[in-house]
Amino acid sequence: MTQQSESTTSSSTTSTTTRDADDPASSPASSPASVQPEGAMSPPSPLTALSPLSPLSPLSPLSPLSPLSPLSPPGPLAEPRPLGERRVWPRSFVDRLTAPLPGLRALARFAREGALRPRTDGLADIPALPFEPGPLPRVGAHTVAVAWAGHASWVIRVGGLTVLTDPVWSRKILGTPARITPVGVAWSALPRVDAVVISHNHYDHLDAPTLRRLPRDTPVFVPAGLARWFRRRRFTRVTELDWWEAAELDGVRFDFVPAHHWSKRSLTDTCRTLWGGWVLTAPDGQRVYFAGDTGYGHWFAHIGRRYPGIDLALLPIGAYDPRWWLSDVHCDPEEAVRAAVDLGAPRMAPMHWGTFVLSAEPVLEPLTRVRAAWERAGLDREDLWDLPVGGSRVLG
């Protein structure tokens, strides 16, 4: 989704530091000297006040810093990289876009006819949105369970670990109305958080107030280029990965995989950090795929071939209307079902709907459409885990 914030930029010959609206005040931990220099790839042209949707410069070739082409899956699974490794990255990941971001012509059309909020009748069903908070299931080291806190925030129990995905426990995020359903899992009800995975840096997926609640030694797994944001906030165990790379924590493997999306957090940092999804693999081989934020496209089939045996796919189904504006970066419900099939995942849990109003579709429409698409595809109804906010389920 499009995000906005104030920005302050300081640059040198080797690195550019961008401060977004939730940055802490300057301190030794947040000074440029504490950050590994970035690579020498040229950034996109400076952006205007319409920068979240401004046209991009022509796509650049793949960075010479990448040992393998990330645009096609390499051979065998990569060996896990060291946890907390400090790395040098290109200054831009604009070459990873699978479609150009909207340009001036699209902006003009949006000004004429676009809307990113439902009509009044589309909001009438807010009281009917499913919200059923309950206790987290008690599970052992060999059981996979998920609980949906809302939007893209999940509590995943896998391989004996408790993992949070894109944790957003805030009532409101920058640039959007307040939540239309409460958080489904109380922060006080969480067990010890063993790890956090982040898909990308948009404000509805990277929430500073929520992350401030975590101990600073919590292991965090993030896309390439995003470790600096966490280290400025004194997180000490941050592992950043490129597409198709992996790290391992207590026997659970964390693989970072491509997505059809983009990144932006301020007026000057379009695509300066990477975006993607995560495949979590338990020691016994059980697998959960968390898509993050993504449009539909070829990456799902690649991921399914590279990681066979995905048991459960957590896939976004909302924030898709109008399609001419959002189709490249957000799946609609029918595309999410196709993605589950492409992945070879027998089970799908919808997400990214019913929490924040980010687009123009009626608030209950994603749920009704995904149920219909699942039925049309001839898939077992029991395998569509259409949980209410706060609901949970155990992989049997």
Side-chain angles (χ1 to χ4, degrees):
M1 65 165 289
T2 302
Q3 303 294 341
Q4 298 176 344
S5 75
E6 298 176 359
S7 172
T8 303
T9 304
S10 62
S11 61
S12 68
T13 58
T14 58
S15 66
T16 301
T17 301
T18 303
R19 181 172 300 152
D20 57 46
D22 52 25
D23 262 345
S26 298
S27 68
S30 63
S31 66
S34 67
V35 178
Q36 187 84 6
E38 295 179 339
M41 225 175 145
S42 297
S45 301
L47 300 176
T48 67
L50 294 174
S51 60
L53 298 171
S54 295
L56 295 171
S57 54
L59 300 187
S60 57
L62 285 175
S63 163
L65 298 175
S66 300
L68 295 168
S69 168
L71 302 184
S72 59
L77 292 182
E79 286 295 315
R81 298 192 69 93
L83 295 175
E85 179 183 20
R86 288 182 176 262
R87 304 177 66 179
V88 175
W89 298 106
R91 291 172 66 95
S92 173
F93 292 94
V94 69
D95 58 298
R96 308 296 183 88
L97 291 169
T98 45
L101 297 179
L104 293 177
R105 184 172 297 177
L107 282 170
R109 179 179 176 184
F110 183 78
R112 291 194 309 270
E113 61 186 72
L116 287 182
R117 297 291 180 268
R119 298 183 308 183
T120 302
D121 56 347
L123 297 171
D125 286 325
I126 287 178
L129 289 170
F131 176 72
E132 299 175 19
L136 295 174
R138 304 179 75 125
V139 298
H142 301 291
T143 303
V144 171
V146 295
W148 188 34
H151 202 54
S153 302
W154 293 87
V155 183
I156 302 178
R157 318 292 284 281
V158 57
L161 300 183
T162 297
V163 181
L164 300 186
T165 69
D166 289 358
V168 179
W169 261 250
S170 296
R171 177 178 165 274
K172 194 175 187 306
I173 54 174
L174 189 67
T176 70
R179 304 174 81 104
I180 55 174
T181 50
V183 179
V185 180
W187 190 263
S188 60
L190 291 173
R192 187 191 72 172
V193 176
D194 298 299
V196 171
V197 297
I198 301 295
S199 65
H200 65 298
N201 71 354
H202 288 162
Y203 280 85
D204 59 323
H205 294 258
L206 180 64
D207 183 51
T210 299
L211 292 165
R212 280 198 292 268
R213 299 184 180 195
L214 292 167
R216 294 306 186 267
D217 61 351
T218 303
V220 183
F221 297 87
V222 304
L226 198 52
R228 182 174 61 188
W229 188 92
F230 281 87
R231 290 183 180 130
R232 285 204 304 263
R233 288 157 179 80
R234 302 181 183 275
F235 281 87
T236 59
R237 303 176 67 187
V238 186
T239 302
E240 54 185 346
L241 299 175
D242 201 336
W243 289 348
W244 311 117
E245 292 184 339
E248 193 171 288
L249 177 67
D250 295 339
V252 175
R253 184 179 167 105
F254 294 72
D255 284 78
F256 189 54
V257 295
H260 300 273
H261 205 61
W262 65 307
S263 69
K264 185 176 190 62
R265 201 167 174 87
S266 73
L267 295 178
T268 59
D269 67 349
T270 301
C271 297
R272 293 287 185 92
T273 63
L274 197 50
W275 54 90
W278 293 91
V279 177
L280 308 183
T281 306
D284 62 4
Q286 293 185 97
R287 275 188 170 143
V288 177
Y289 166 66
F290 168 66
D293 224 351
T294 182
Y296 178 77
H298 63 282
W299 285 131
F300 294 111
H302 282 301
I303 294 165
R305 286 194 296 269
R306 186 154 178 76
Y307 302 95
I310 293 172
D311 296 288
L312 172 65
L314 311 177
L315 287 163
I317 65 167
Y320 53 79
D321 187 30
R323 294 309 287 149
W324 67 267
W325 183 259
L326 293 167
S327 64
D328 291 329
V329 293
H330 287 165
C331 288
D332 65 23
E334 293 78 15
E335 290 169 335
V337 172
R338 288 172 61 193
V341 173
D342 292 350
L343 290 161
R347 303 167 193 86
M348 169 186 161
M351 64 173 182
H352 206 271
W353 76 281
T355 307
F356 297 105
V357 176
L358 304 176
S359 56
E361 73 270 6
V363 294
L364 262 181
E365 182 180 280
L367 181 61
T368 58
R369 282 178 57 174
V370 78
R371 287 172 173 172
W374 193 263
E375 181 179 1
R376 284 196 303 272
L379 302 170
D380 190 336
R381 180 63 181 84
E382 280 296 307
D383 291 332
L384 179 62
W385 291 15
D386 48 348
L387 299 175
V389 175
S392 59
R393 194 153 174 186
V394 176
L395 186 63

